[in-house]
Amino acid sequence: MSKIKPSQGAPYARIMGVGGYRPTRVVPNEVILETIDSSDEWIRSRSGIATRHWASDEETVAAMSVEAAGKAIADAGITPEQIGGVIVSTVSHFKQTPAIATEIADKIGAGKPAAFDISAGCAGFGYGLTLARGMVTDGSAEYVLVIGVERLSDLTDLNDRATAFLFGDGAGAVIVGPSKEPKIGPTVWGSEGDKSETIKQTISWEEYRAGSPEKFPAITQEGQAVFRWAVFEMAKVAQQALDAAGITAEDLDVFIPHQANERIIDSMVKTLKLPEHVTVARDVRTTGNTSAASIPLAMERLLATGEAKSGDTALVIGFGAGLVYAATVVTLP
């Protein structure tokens, strides 16, 4: 018989508060058209994007995260000292070590929580949410701060017609805490590494250090391959998440997919046969693709505008570089 004492966590976990930060500079398509041969109509028809936010020098990954975290903490009604874990998902923190989560934890006054970064691309928020749920239910932390944050403008090739218009900057954060009822469903997640070349960094840091080529690394993707994968495979994953939660599309109030492309969102809505009463997040129109930050930013906007309300049942799904994905059903805070 084991001598290890069983963990004493909460029976379930829930999202208690949400916060977001968008950089002050709003970049319309006209700015993108200065470096690529395209048109505003083409960009909107291909992606749904009209504007995106780009960070200034002062709006660092840490600074944006601190702002979003502060709003989530206030929304949750807790203090920073109560946070026992900080999880940050990002691909645009350019220091290999230490984790940016440790700096953020210190800047928000969280004391000495467990703090670490994860790299799961556009599925990063879902990965972080799942890890946070486990920390709360196994008793290793009462409250966990999950942040998705990106400065993708630093990794955008403005001469690449396929991607120059896609990416934006920002940070979204949630507080995960204890619950007496299940308010974060089972996660359906996974990876398809055989498709890793479809979304990638153009050159490695080793190649850049060696000076061949001299151009700074950027994110590139095979647009059509990614589109087909997202439309056909991710709708299946979304349905699996509904099944795992024991609900149907009729039971949903809100759908918050990764804000990659409005055409992908429309196709998923059609494939899932979502009823007209389901509110669909379309933050991509004015925020662009912010990778790990896109789901919490979209969630925050829906709640702030009243398009969604506390207690609503929402399906969230993220998918991207890896290729990786994560989907779950949650109750909105």
Side-chain angles (χ1 to χ4, degrees):
M1 181 178 292
S2 174
K3 296 181 180 179
I4 300 174
K5 181 181 177 181
S7 58
Q8 301 293 318
Y12 304 104
R14 65 187 176 110
I15 299 175
M16 299 179 59
V18 60
Y21 180 82
R22 293 171 174 81
T24 55
R25 183 187 177 192
V26 177
V27 179
N29 288 339
E30 285 73 19
V31 172
I32 307 299
L33 297 175
E34 294 173 4
T35 53
I36 62 171
D37 181 17
S38 188
S39 68
D40 177 65
E41 181 183 2
W42 186 88
I43 293 174
R44 289 175 188 252
S45 66
R46 298 284 292 182
S47 67
I49 299 171
T51 62
R52 73 284 294 146
H53 295 254
W54 283 355
S56 66
D57 290 344
E58 292 75 28
E59 291 168 317
T60 62
V61 167
M64 292 190 293
S65 296
V66 168
E67 290 292 330
K71 294 175 183 177
I73 292 167
D75 192 41
I78 66 170
T79 65
E81 293 82 4
Q82 292 176 276
I83 295 173
V86 177
I87 303 172
V88 178
S89 179
T90 185
V91 300
S92 46
H93 169 51
F94 290 158
K95 287 185 179 179
Q96 198 71 37
T97 192
I100 194 66
T102 59
E103 178 183 340
I104 294 166
D106 178 64
K107 287 186 173 181
I108 65 173
K112 299 180 180 180
F116 56 95
D117 297 352
I118 58 175
S119 178
C122 305
F125 175 75
Y127 274 55
L129 185 65
T130 303
L131 295 172
R133 181 189 63 199
M135 292 169 71
V136 171
T137 57
D138 77 8
S140 62
E142 185 175 12
Y143 302 102
V144 181
L145 170 64
V146 180
I147 300 171
V149 57
E150 301 293 1
R151 272 182 54 120
L152 293 181
S153 58
D154 292 335
L155 288 167
T156 299
D157 181 354
L158 294 179
N159 295 302
D160 180 359
R161 189 172 185 270
T163 61
F165 59 90
L166 287 175
F167 302 120
D169 303 334
V174 300
I175 296 292
V176 177
S179 175
K180 295 180 180 179
E181 299 177 346
K183 295 192 175 183
I184 301 177
T187 301
V188 177
W189 56 354
S191 64
E192 297 185 29
D194 60 317
K195 300 178 180 65
S196 61
E197 292 295 302
T198 55
I199 305 175
K200 64 179 182 179
Q201 186 171 303
T202 49
I203 59 171
S204 70
W205 296 115
E206 288 180 323
E207 291 171 313
Y208 179 67
R209 181 173 62 180
S212 179
E214 296 181 358
K215 199 171 186 179
F216 194 77
I219 296 174
T220 186
Q221 69 175 29
E222 298 174 14
Q224 286 302 314
V226 173
F227 182 86
R228 288 193 298 269
W229 176 77
V231 168
F232 295 109
E233 298 303 321
M234 291 305 98
K236 298 176 186 177
V237 171
Q239 183 60 55
Q240 290 169 12
L242 291 175
D243 295 341
I247 67 171
T248 69
E250 288 288 340
D251 299 314
L252 279 179
D253 300 303
V254 186
F255 179 44
I256 312 178
H258 165 48
Q259 302 293 293
N261 180 307
E262 192 165 33
R263 290 171 63 210
I264 292 175
I265 295 172
D266 289 340
S267 295
M268 292 183 72
V269 168
K270 183 178 180 179
T271 303
L272 288 167
K273 298 179 181 178
L274 296 184
E276 289 188 7
H277 74 261
V278 176
T279 297
V280 179
R282 299 184 184 278
D283 195 44
V284 67
R285 294 172 177 171
T286 55
T287 306
N289 180 344
T290 56
S291 189
S294 80
I295 290 175
L297 278 174
M299 183 184 295
E300 185 254 1
R301 173 160 283 173
L302 288 175
L303 289 167
T305 60
E307 295 174 82
K309 62 183 185 300
S310 174
D312 278 353
T313 299
L315 169 63
V316 299
I317 178 170
F319 45 85
L323 293 172
V324 295
Y325 55 87
T328 188
V329 175
V330 304
T331 301
L332 296 182

